[in-house]
Structure formats: C-alpha cells, structure tokens
Coordinates of all heavy atoms in Angstrom, one line a residue:
M1 N -3.2 19.8 2.0 CA -2.6 18.5 1.8 C -1.9 18.4 0.5 O -2.4 18.8 -0.6 CB -3.6 17.4 2.0 CG -3.2 16.0 1.9 SD -4.5 14.8 2.2 CE -3.8 13.4 1.5
D2 N -0.7 17.8 0.4 CA 0.0 17.7 -0.8 C -0.7 16.7 -1.8 O -1.3 15.7 -1.3 CB 1.4 17.1 -0.6 CG 2.3 18.1 0.1 OD1 1.9 19.3 0.1 OD2 3.3 17.7 0.7
E3 N -0.7 17.0 -3.1 CA -1.3 16.1 -4.0 C -0.5 14.9 -4.1 O 0.7 14.9 -4.2 CB -1.4 16.8 -5.4 CG -2.1 16.0 -6.4 CD -2.2 16.7 -7.8 OE1 -2.0 17.9 -7.8 OE2 -2.5 16.0 -8.7
Q4 N -1.1 13.7 -4.1 CA -0.4 12.5 -4.2 C -0.1 12.1 -5.6 O -1.0 12.2 -6.5 CB -1.2 11.4 -3.5 CG -1.3 11.5 -2.0 CD -2.1 10.3 -1.4 OE1 -3.2 10.0 -1.8 NE2 -1.5 9.7 -0.4
K5 N 1.1 11.7 -5.9 CA 1.5 11.2 -7.2 C 1.7 9.7 -7.2 O 2.4 9.2 -6.3 CB 2.8 11.9 -7.7 CG 2.6 13.3 -8.1 CD 3.9 13.8 -8.7 CE 3.7 15.2 -9.2 NZ 4.9 15.8 -9.9
K6 N 1.1 9.0 -8.2 CA 1.3 7.6 -8.1 C 2.7 7.2 -8.5 O 3.3 7.8 -9.3 CB 0.3 6.9 -9.1 CG 0.5 7.1 -10.6 CD -0.6 6.4 -11.4 CE -0.3 6.6 -12.9 NZ -1.4 6.0 -13.7
N7 N 3.1 6.0 -7.9 CA 4.3 5.4 -8.3 C 4.0 4.3 -9.3 O 3.3 3.3 -8.9 CB 5.0 4.8 -7.1 CG 6.4 4.2 -7.4 OD1 6.6 3.7 -8.5 ND2 7.2 4.1 -6.4
K8 N 4.3 4.5 -10.5 CA 3.9 3.5 -11.6 C 4.4 2.1 -11.4 O 4.0 1.2 -12.0 CB 4.3 4.0 -13.0 CG 3.6 5.3 -13.4 CD 4.1 5.8 -14.7 CE 3.4 7.1 -15.1 NZ 3.9 7.7 -16.3
S9 N 5.4 2.0 -10.5 CA 6.0 0.7 -10.2 C 5.3 -0.1 -9.1 O 5.7 -1.2 -8.9 CB 7.5 0.9 -9.9 OG 8.2 1.5 -10.9
I10 N 4.4 0.6 -8.4 CA 3.8 -0.1 -7.3 C 2.2 0.0 -7.4 O 1.6 1.0 -7.0 CB 4.2 0.6 -5.9 CG1 5.7 0.6 -5.8 CG2 3.6 -0.3 -4.8 CD1 6.2 1.3 -4.6
K11 N 1.6 -1.0 -8.0 CA 0.2 -1.1 -8.0 C -0.3 -1.6 -6.7 O 0.3 -2.5 -6.1 CB -0.3 -2.1 -9.1 CG 0.1 -1.6 -10.5 CD -0.4 -2.5 -11.6 CE -1.9 -2.3 -11.7 NZ -2.4 -3.1 -12.9
C12 N -1.5 -1.1 -6.2 CA -2.0 -1.5 -4.9 C -3.5 -1.1 -4.9 O -3.9 -0.1 -5.3 CB -1.2 -0.8 -3.8 SG -1.8 -1.3 -2.2
D13 N -4.3 -2.1 -4.3 CA -5.7 -1.9 -4.2 C -6.2 -1.7 -2.8 O -7.4 -1.7 -2.5 CB -6.4 -3.1 -4.7 CG -6.3 -3.3 -6.2 OD1 -6.3 -2.3 -6.9 OD2 -6.1 -4.4 -6.7
V14 N -5.2 -1.4 -1.9 CA -5.6 -1.2 -0.5 C -6.1 0.2 -0.2 O -5.3 1.1 0.1 CB -4.4 -1.6 0.5 CG1 -4.9 -1.5 1.9 CG2 -3.9 -3.0 0.1
A15 N -7.4 0.4 -0.4 CA -8.0 1.7 -0.3 C -7.9 2.3 1.1 O -8.0 3.5 1.2 CB -9.4 1.7 -0.8
Q16 N -7.8 1.4 2.1 CA -7.8 1.9 3.4 C -6.4 2.5 3.8 O -6.3 3.1 4.9 CB -8.1 0.7 4.4 CG -9.6 0.3 4.3 CD -9.8 -0.7 3.1 OE1 -8.8 -1.1 2.4 NE2 -11.0 -1.1 2.9
C17 N -5.4 2.3 3.0 CA -4.1 2.9 3.3 C -4.0 4.3 2.9 O -4.5 4.7 1.7 CB -3.0 2.1 2.6 SG -1.4 2.7 2.9
R18 N -3.5 5.2 3.7 CA -3.4 6.6 3.4 C -2.5 6.9 2.2 O -2.5 8.0 1.6 CB -3.0 7.4 4.6 CG -1.6 7.3 5.0 CD -1.2 8.4 6.0 NE -2.0 8.5 7.2 CZ -1.8 9.2 8.2 NH1 -0.7 10.0 8.2 NH2 -2.6 9.3 9.2
H19 N -1.6 5.9 1.9 CA -0.6 6.1 0.8 C -1.2 5.7 -0.5 O -0.6 5.8 -1.6 CB 0.6 5.3 1.1 CG 1.4 5.7 2.3 ND1 1.7 7.0 2.6 CD2 1.7 5.0 3.4 CE1 2.3 7.1 3.7 NE2 2.4 5.9 4.2
N20 N -2.5 5.2 -0.5 CA -3.1 4.7 -1.8 C -3.8 5.8 -2.6 O -4.5 6.6 -2.0 CB -4.0 3.6 -1.5 CG -4.4 2.7 -2.7 OD1 -5.3 3.1 -3.4 ND2 -3.7 1.7 -2.9
L21 N -3.5 5.8 -3.9 CA -4.2 6.7 -4.8 C -5.4 5.9 -5.3 O -5.3 5.2 -6.3 CB -3.3 7.1 -5.9 CG -3.8 8.2 -6.9 CD1 -4.2 9.5 -6.1 CD2 -2.8 8.5 -8.0
V22 N -6.5 6.0 -4.6 CA -7.6 5.0 -4.8 C -8.2 5.1 -6.2 O -8.5 4.1 -6.7 CB -8.7 5.4 -3.7 CG1 -9.9 4.5 -3.9 CG2 -8.1 5.2 -2.3
S23 N -8.2 6.3 -6.7 CA -8.8 6.4 -8.1 C -8.0 5.7 -9.1 O -8.6 5.4 -10.2 CB -8.9 7.9 -8.4 OG -7.6 8.5 -8.4
E24 N -6.7 5.4 -8.9 CA -5.9 4.8 -9.9 C -5.3 3.5 -9.5 O -4.6 2.8 -10.2 CB -4.8 5.7 -10.4 CG -5.4 7.0 -11.0 CD -4.4 7.8 -11.8 OE1 -3.7 7.2 -12.6 OE2 -4.3 9.0 -11.6
H25 N -5.6 3.1 -8.2 CA -5.1 1.8 -7.7 C -3.6 1.7 -7.7 O -3.0 0.7 -8.1 CB -5.7 0.7 -8.4 CG -7.2 0.7 -8.4 ND1 -8.0 0.2 -7.4 CD2 -8.1 1.2 -9.3 CE1 -9.2 0.4 -7.7 NE2 -9.3 1.0 -8.8
Y26 N -2.9 2.8 -7.3 CA -1.4 2.8 -7.2 C -1.0 3.3 -5.8 O -1.7 4.1 -5.2 CB -0.8 3.7 -8.2 CG -0.7 3.0 -9.6 CD1 -1.7 3.1 -10.5 CD2 0.5 2.4 -9.9 CE1 -1.6 2.5 -11.7 CE2 0.6 1.8 -11.1 CZ -0.4 1.8 -12.1 OH -0.3 1.2 -13.3
C27 N 0.2 2.9 -5.4 CA 0.8 3.5 -4.2 C 1.4 4.8 -4.6 O 1.8 5.0 -5.7 CB 1.8 2.5 -3.7 SG 2.6 3.1 -2.1
T28 N 1.5 5.7 -3.6 CA 2.1 7.0 -3.9 C 3.5 7.2 -3.3 O 4.2 8.2 -3.4 CB 1.2 8.1 -3.4 OG1 1.1 7.9 -2.0 CG2 -0.1 8.1 -4.1
L29 N 4.0 6.1 -2.5 CA 5.3 6.2 -1.9 C 6.4 5.9 -3.0 O 6.2 5.2 -4.0 CB 5.4 5.2 -0.8 CG 4.5 5.4 0.4 CD1 4.7 4.3 1.4 CD2 4.8 6.8 1.0
D30 N 7.6 6.5 -2.8 CA 8.7 6.2 -3.6 C 9.2 4.8 -3.4 O 9.8 4.2 -4.3 CB 9.9 7.2 -3.3 CG 9.6 8.6 -3.7 OD1 8.7 8.8 -4.6 OD2 10.2 9.5 -3.1
C31 N 9.0 4.3 -2.2 CA 9.6 3.0 -1.9 C 8.7 2.4 -0.8 O 8.2 3.2 0.1 CB 11.0 3.2 -1.4 SG 11.8 1.7 -0.8
I32 N 8.4 1.1 -0.8 CA 7.7 0.5 0.3 C 8.5 -0.6 0.9 O 9.5 -1.1 0.3 CB 6.3 -0.1 -0.2 CG1 6.6 -1.2 -1.2 CG2 5.4 1.0 -0.7 CD1 5.3 -2.0 -1.6
S33 N 8.1 -1.1 2.1 CA 8.8 -2.2 2.7 C 7.8 -3.3 2.8 O 6.7 -3.2 3.3 CB 9.2 -1.8 4.1 OG 9.7 -2.9 4.8
V34 N 8.2 -4.5 2.3 CA 7.3 -5.7 2.3 C 8.0 -6.7 3.2 O 9.2 -6.9 3.2 CB 7.1 -6.3 0.9 CG1 6.3 -7.5 0.9 CG2 6.5 -5.2 0.0
G35 N 7.1 -7.3 4.0 CA 7.6 -8.4 4.9 C 6.7 -9.5 5.0 O 5.8 -9.7 4.1
T36 N 6.9 -10.4 6.0 CA 6.0 -11.5 6.1 C 5.8 -11.8 7.6 O 6.6 -11.4 8.5 CB 6.6 -12.8 5.5 OG1 5.7 -13.9 5.6 CG2 8.0 -13.2 6.1
H37 N 4.6 -12.4 7.9 CA 4.3 -12.8 9.3 C 4.4 -14.3 9.4 O 4.0 -14.8 10.5 CB 2.9 -12.3 9.6 CG 1.8 -12.7 8.6 ND1 1.6 -12.0 7.4 CD2 1.1 -13.8 8.5 CE1 0.7 -12.6 6.7 NE2 0.4 -13.8 7.3
E38 N 4.9 -14.9 8.4 CA 5.1 -16.4 8.5 C 6.6 -16.8 8.6 O 7.4 -16.0 8.2 CB 4.5 -17.0 7.2 CG 3.1 -16.7 6.9 CD 2.1 -17.4 7.7 OE1 2.5 -18.4 8.5 OE2 0.9 -17.1 7.7
E39 N 6.8 -18.0 9.2 CA 8.2 -18.4 9.2 C 8.7 -19.0 7.9 O 9.8 -18.9 7.5 CB 8.3 -19.5 10.3 CG 8.2 -19.0 11.7 CD 8.6 -20.1 12.7 OE1 9.1 -21.2 12.3 OE2 8.3 -19.9 13.9
D40 N 7.7 -19.5 7.1 CA 8.1 -20.1 5.8 C 7.0 -19.7 4.8 O 6.1 -20.5 4.4 CB 8.2 -21.6 5.9 CG 8.7 -22.3 4.7 OD1 9.3 -21.6 3.8 OD2 8.5 -23.5 4.5
P41 N 7.0 -18.5 4.3 CA 5.9 -18.0 3.4 C 5.9 -18.8 2.1 O 6.9 -19.2 1.5 CB 6.3 -16.6 3.1 CG 7.7 -16.4 3.5 CD 8.0 -17.5 4.5
T42 N 4.6 -19.2 1.6 CA 4.5 -20.0 0.4 C 3.5 -19.4 -0.5 O 3.4 -19.8 -1.7 CB 4.0 -21.4 0.8 OG1 2.8 -21.3 1.6 CG2 5.0 -22.2 1.6
V43 N 2.6 -18.5 -0.1 CA 1.6 -17.9 -1.0 C 1.6 -16.4 -0.7 O 2.1 -15.9 0.3 CB 0.2 -18.5 -0.7 CG1 0.2 -19.9 -1.2 CG2 -0.2 -18.3 0.7
P44 N 1.0 -15.6 -1.7 CA 1.0 -14.1 -1.5 C 0.4 -13.7 -0.2 O 0.8 -12.7 0.4 CB 0.1 -13.7 -2.7 CG 0.3 -14.7 -3.7 CD 0.5 -16.0 -3.0
E45 N -0.6 -14.4 0.3 CA -1.3 -14.1 1.6 C -0.3 -14.1 2.8 O -0.7 -13.6 3.8 CB -2.5 -15.0 1.8 CG -3.6 -14.8 0.9 CD -3.4 -15.4 -0.5 OE1 -2.4 -16.1 -0.7 OE2 -4.3 -15.2 -1.3
C46 N 0.8 -14.7 2.6 CA 1.8 -14.7 3.7 C 2.6 -13.4 3.8 O 3.3 -13.2 4.8 CB 2.8 -15.9 3.5 SG 2.0 -17.5 3.5
T47 N 2.4 -12.5 2.9 CA 3.3 -11.3 2.8 C 2.4 -10.1 3.2 O 1.2 -10.1 3.1 CB 3.9 -11.1 1.5 OG1 2.9 -10.9 0.5 CG2 4.7 -12.3 1.0
D48 N 3.1 -9.1 3.7 CA 2.5 -7.9 4.2 C 3.2 -6.6 3.7 O 4.5 -6.7 3.5 CB 2.6 -7.8 5.7 CG 2.1 -9.1 6.4 OD1 0.9 -9.3 6.3 OD2 2.9 -9.7 7.0
C49 N 2.5 -5.6 3.4 CA 3.1 -4.3 3.2 C 3.3 -3.6 4.5 O 2.3 -3.2 5.2 CB 2.2 -3.4 2.3 SG 3.0 -1.8 2.1
N50 N 4.6 -3.5 4.9 CA 4.9 -2.9 6.2 C 4.8 -1.4 6.2 O 5.1 -0.7 7.2 CB 6.2 -3.4 6.7 CG 6.1 -4.9 7.1 OD1 5.1 -5.3 7.5 ND2 7.2 -5.6 7.0
S51 N 4.6 -0.8 5.0 CA 4.5 0.7 4.9 C 3.0 1.1 5.0 O 2.8 2.3 5.0 CB 5.0 1.1 3.5 OG 6.4 0.7 3.4
F52 N 2.1 0.2 5.2 CA 0.7 0.5 5.3 C 0.5 1.4 6.5 O 1.0 1.2 7.6 CB -0.1 -0.8 5.5 CG -1.6 -0.6 5.9 CD1 -2.5 -0.4 4.9 CD2 -2.0 -0.5 7.2 CE1 -3.9 -0.2 5.2 CE2 -3.3 -0.3 7.5 CZ -4.2 -0.1 6.5
V53 N -0.3 2.5 6.3 CA -0.8 3.3 7.4 C -2.3 3.6 7.2 O -2.7 4.0 6.1 CB -0.1 4.7 7.4 CG1 -0.6 5.6 8.5 CG2 1.4 4.5 7.6
V54 N -3.1 3.3 8.2 CA -4.5 3.4 8.0 C -4.9 4.9 7.8 O -4.3 5.8 8.4 CB -5.3 2.8 9.1 CG1 -5.2 3.6 10.4 CG2 -6.8 2.6 8.8
R55 N -5.9 5.2 6.9 CA -6.4 6.5 6.8 C -7.0 7.0 8.1 O -7.9 6.3 8.6 CB -7.4 6.6 5.7 CG -6.9 6.4 4.3 CD -8.0 6.5 3.3 NE -7.6 6.2 2.0 CZ -6.9 7.0 1.1 NH1 -6.6 8.2 1.5 NH2 -6.4 6.5 0.0
S56 N -6.7 8.2 8.5 CA -7.3 8.7 9.7 C -8.8 9.0 9.5 O -9.5 9.0 10.5 CB -6.5 10.0 10.1 OG -6.6 10.9 9.1
S57 N -9.2 9.3 8.3 CA -10.6 9.6 8.0 C -11.4 8.3 7.9 O -12.7 8.4 7.9 CB -10.7 10.4 6.7 OG -10.2 9.7 5.7
C58 N -10.8 7.2 7.9 CA -11.5 5.9 7.7 C -12.4 5.5 8.8 O -13.5 5.2 8.6 CB -10.5 4.8 7.4 SG -11.1 3.2 7.4
C59 N -11.8 5.6 10.0 CA -12.5 4.9 11.1 C -12.6 5.7 12.3 O -12.6 5.3 13.5 CB -11.8 3.6 11.4 SG -11.4 2.6 10.0
G60 N -12.7 7.0 12.1 CA -12.9 7.9 13.2 C -11.5 8.3 13.8 O -11.4 8.7 14.9
Ligands
LIG101 S1 2.0 1.7 1.5 FE1 1.6 -0.4 0.9 S2 -0.6 -0.8 1.4 FE2 -0.2 1.4 1.3 S3 -0.7 2.0 -0.8 FE3 1.5 1.7 -0.7 S4 1.7 -0.5 -1.3 FE4 -0.4 -0.2 -0.8

C-alpha cells in the first residue's frame, strides 16, 4: 500500500475515512469535494465531505 502523505491544506478528524492520516489528523487527498444535504445550510453540520470513503478494515 502506498504511503499516505498529508495535505497540509486539509485538516480532518474523520478517522473512519480511508483517506485520513489518523496520526496527524489530515486528509491525504490533493483535492476534496464538499457538499450539503440541506436546501439552505446554516451551520457546519449541514455540510458533508463527499470524498469520504469508509475504511474497509473498519467494519468487516
Ligand atoms: S476525504 Fe474527506 S472525510 Fe476523508 S479524510 Fe479527506 S477530508 Fe476527511
């Protein structure tokens, strides 16, 4: 498996994502896609990282 390099521009604490460098709390992608599941987002909780991919080792 390739060694993951952190993207210093994208901090992230989502350890369940396969793109997360958990030890340093950074994303390893060059670019991510962020979206929303709300019609009129007003708080951070309304937004989503659409580049999230669950770790295969996480849940069987
Ligand atoms: S893809 Fe999104 S959720 Fe996954 S580590 Fe990067 S920023 Fe975090």
Side-chain angles (χ1 to χ4, degrees):
M1 181 176 162
D2 292 343
E3 185 178 347
Q4 291 183 308
K5 284 189 176 179
K6 72 180 181 185
N7 181 335
K8 294 178 182 175
S9 298
I10 308 176
K11 297 183 73 171
C12 181
D13 291 323
V14 184
Q16 293 82 3
C17 179
R18 72 164 56 172
H19 300 306
N20 195 272
L21 188 60
V22 178
S23 60
E24 301 196 47
H25 304 276
Y26 278 89
C27 183
T28 58
L29 296 177
D30 292 335
C31 176
I32 63 169
S33 174
V34 176
T36 182
H37 52 272
E38 303 284 349
E39 288 189 11
D40 186 19
T42 55
V43 291
E45 288 79 4
C46 297
T47 65
D48 307 295
C49 177
N50 288 332
S51 300
F52 172 89
V53 178
V54 72
R55 285 183 192 279
S56 57
S57 59
C58 167
C59 312

